[in-house]
Amino acid sequence: MNDTASLRAELLALLLEPLGVDAMAGLASLERLAKDVDAVAQACGCASLPPSGTTLRWVSDAVAACVEEQELVRLAAARGRTLTLSEARALRELMRLEGLRPHLQALEGVTVEALRAGLAAVALAERVLPGVLEQCRRADQGWPKEIWRSIFEIDIERAMTDLRRHRRGSRQAAGARELVLKHSVSTARDLQNRDLVTRLENVQDFVAAKESYEAVLSVQPEWWRWLGPDARFRFRSDRRDALVWAIEARDTGAVSVSSLEMLADSNVRAVIEQGIVTVPVSTTSSPAALATSSAARLATGLPAVASRTDTSELRALESWYAKDIELFDRVAAAMDVRRTEPDLRAALEPLVDELTHSFGAVDASRSAYRDIQSTLWDEVEARLQRTSYSAHAMESEHLVGAISRIGALERELRDAVRAMPAVRGRLLIAIAGRTKSGKTTIRKALTRDADRTGIGRGAHRTTRETSAFELGPVTYLDTPGVAAKDDDLDAQRARDACDNADAVIWNYADTLRDEESAELQRLLLSGKPLLAVVNLKERVDTLDRLQLFAQRPERAFTSASGHAVRIEQVSKAVGAAPPIVLAVHSGAAHEALSTQDRELGDRAFRASRMPELEQSLAQLLAERAIPLRAVRLAEGVRAPLAAFHDRVIEELPQIGLALGELERSAPSQQAALLEAIQIAGQNTRDCLEARRHLAKEQLSDVVPSLGGVDHSQRWSDFITGLELEGFTSILEREIEQEIRKRERVLRARESAAERQDGERLHVRQRPDTTVWRWIAVAAEGAGTTLLDSFAARGIPKKLAADATKGNPAMVMVGYLLNVVVGVAKAVSREADRAEQVKHEWTGKTAAAAETELDERFDREEARLARIVDDTTAQIGAQFQEQSADISRTRERFEQLRRLQSAVRSALDSIDLVLVRRLLALAGGDPAAIRSARRTPGVELRVWIDASRIVEVRACLQAQLVDVLTERIEICSDSGSPVDVAGTRGASEGKTDG
């Protein structure tokens, strides 16, 4: 298969594919046909030669692509990684992507699960993990960076207990300070105990958040770990961007999912990095637009077949094509216009008829399937446009689910329409049977190869690998034997070859053991065309024995009937129809090829019944294998589309219901959430107002302590004790709880204003009334001293004279009391003035303090109102954007619904091409069938004109029906079933149309 002639035949088959020919016709026949097409094209008015090299570019590109793949295989082998051709093709497809190079490093360590993730899943992870790590982020903002290196070494519980229970100057508090500060920096040594408590609480939050983070990851996909939060507890932006790039490359259909998943292999990534430098892979994100339909066939079909050859053969193919480019361009031009030129199409039909071979006429279904796929691909590309969503689209898990399910369907559709029919049209026949049954001898006889190499002797089994050989338009697969005692690998290789073949020659020799019977029954139940060959073993290894066999061959075939009965018994045991059984003597046929007596050789070859084997094989291929190949060709294109169609029928109604529920519930959710936010705001303001009244009641105890040296600290302690900042946290917490109940996130939050140093209560110095008390004490002391001096020095003369007139003692006392009372009155007047000053200071200070309290509470109330207003505005914006996101999702949903009908139409077209092909093989007129559809239960339903029912029924024989399905229902123009061909008999009921 790896020769330039095969490549040339397949390239010509691609050019001539619209005529229904393929590589089975052979290189010589295809070259003649190409020249005839050129002559017919000129005769029909297509004489204007297209620009030279119209199709050469696509052949050159295919050759270059195959060379690139081979170089990638070589690079991978050098790094210890074995690449298959399909993997190399996928790798080259990857390397064409723009953006691959800058993301390679970020994709290091990527898991397959990550590459299979969707954008919705990434957005969900972005939403969940930052919330889990919110406490970590808050702790990180208020703690010296150096402490995180040893944060888990701190005995947090003991430090918290010591700092809260003991005074700042106590030994226990000092120990707690040292325990914490030794993990921090020298600049933190002036922290107060209150600050340490706050920071240790942050540490507690950090530890709790880390535990929550690990708990989340323990139940989430491993690819979350690959995204790895950075130091700021966000996903690593480079890895996230690389993952999003990979997902978008997959979702937009730039590469298939399987190709993208190769990035998870470190060896493959190393090959990519090396290949970017050494392999001249074009990095264009998408190839240039195809010039013609012929160019499209070459671009899609040739690389798949050319990759099997080496570089020298590829270059030889390119040189041969370039040499005859004018002829090939003329053929391509004729193929491109034949649909629109009836005269040209009619003139080409006789040429195609000349290519009829022994297995039936040429098959135009490949071209039809490729056209169906191309049309569907164009429609998919035109309708499935990229859709951008807002950042808030992922806040609703239900919307995320709808987006994700739609994206999955779109990816499945893109992958489904990638499946193009194969180019190669050769039939594959596997030769299978028991070890030492003569399979290789049959191969030698079929190919007229007299060489004895590979033919075993005695108990030695020779064939251990499946090998291929070609004979005309057929490729035979010589398989290892089954039922070997010590090697099941041989049987598995033989089984794989039989599963891939169009037909099987089962080589029966002498007996049928249990292992052989099981494998034969498996093949019979598969429905694959099978020819059972009873290979006789009578020795003909001498000239005399060969001559005796040629004279009396019936002697060697006497036991054949018994073997045929045994094969029928084995078949009936599993309810399978017995295969065609033919007795041959492959040994005699092979000996006949090497004998010097050619007359004896001819008689012996005919006596071996090898010509009958070849004739039976040709008939089997024409009647069974060719139809089966047509079915497999259709299934290769149809199966992925049918899988998508079945999936979309199941998924779309559910997605539609989910979208309808989102559209209906969004307004009520918004109203309920806004109401909850307003209630939370009002409740917090009520609490704040109650705290205001309590604070004013406490002012009578606080004001007397003001006006001193440390009054600012006393006022600050009073204000701090009110914990006004806590109301903002309370409100934010309540709002956050309400939002989380509805699975939403606020992406921005107003930060509390920092307290300014100038924010303190300004009051006059408190008046000191102790001075006036000391004045009163001094006056009282002065009176006492005066009396004492009278007693010591005697009474003055005036007072003594007055005393002689009356009671001397009373006169003296009265005089002294007058003096003391005068002094006391003076002191009392000063004390009253001091008390008045004190009351005035207290009143003014209380008023100032109350005003300051009102201002602080008013500011806090305004902040709370602002938080409520901002949150309300954000929620409104979120719901507005979500509504737009739902509308975009609805639009994508409707696009899929419209594409569902396009896929259904493509499936019907494939079924129509297939059933017309089968009818043509059965000798009928394909035009009799107007439409066809496979349906559950019926399997295949065809619509024909009522006047042609008998004709079609006569052509669709049971054995032909069994090739495709167990039952075909024939419907007339009225739509009702009028006839059924198949093994189940007639059906009842009406068609579903």
Side-chain angles (χ1 to χ4, degrees), residues 747-802:
R747 299 187 176 273
R749 175 77 72 192
E750 181 200 33
S751 59
E754 296 293 334
R755 188 175 63 184
Q756 302 298 323
D757 293 338
E759 288 188 3
R760 58 170 62 96
L761 180 64
H762 298 283
V763 298
R764 291 188 301 109
Q765 184 175 359
R766 183 175 64 246
D768 192 355
T769 57
T770 57
V771 176
W772 307 109
R773 286 199 299 272
W774 282 108
I775 292 175
V777 172
E780 184 179 352
T784 303
T785 302
L786 179 61
L787 292 176
D788 291 342
S789 67
F790 284 165
R793 298 180 182 179
I795 302 172
K797 293 181 178 181
K798 184 178 184 302
L799 292 179
D802 293 337

Side-chain angles (χ1 to χ4, degrees), residues 380 486 779:
V380 168
D486 58 347

Side-chain angles (χ1 to χ4, degrees), residues 57-110:
R57 173 186 175 184
W58 310 105
V59 175
S60 299
D61 287 347
V63 170
C66 295
V67 171
E68 291 168 3
E69 291 170 10
Q70 291 180 8
E71 182 63 17
L72 291 174
V73 171
R74 186 191 64 78
L75 290 176
R79 303 191 67 90
R81 174 67 156 85
T82 302
L83 289 180
T84 64
L85 289 174
S86 60
E87 289 176 333
R89 192 172 305 117
L91 193 57
R92 188 180 64 85
E93 182 184 15
L94 266 180
M95 294 175 64
R96 294 177 62 88
L97 287 181
E98 290 181 349
L100 175 63
R101 185 195 299 265
H103 287 120
L104 274 179
Q105 186 174 1
L107 286 169
E108 183 177 359
V110 66

Side-chain angles (χ1 to χ4, degrees), residues 156-177:
I156 299 172
E157 295 296 333
R158 183 172 70 82
M160 291 291 295
T161 302
D162 290 342
L163 286 171
R164 285 174 172 168
R165 291 186 178 180
H166 302 285
R167 296 172 59 86
R168 182 172 54 191
S170 66
R171 181 179 301 175
Q172 291 88 348
R177 285 174 54 81

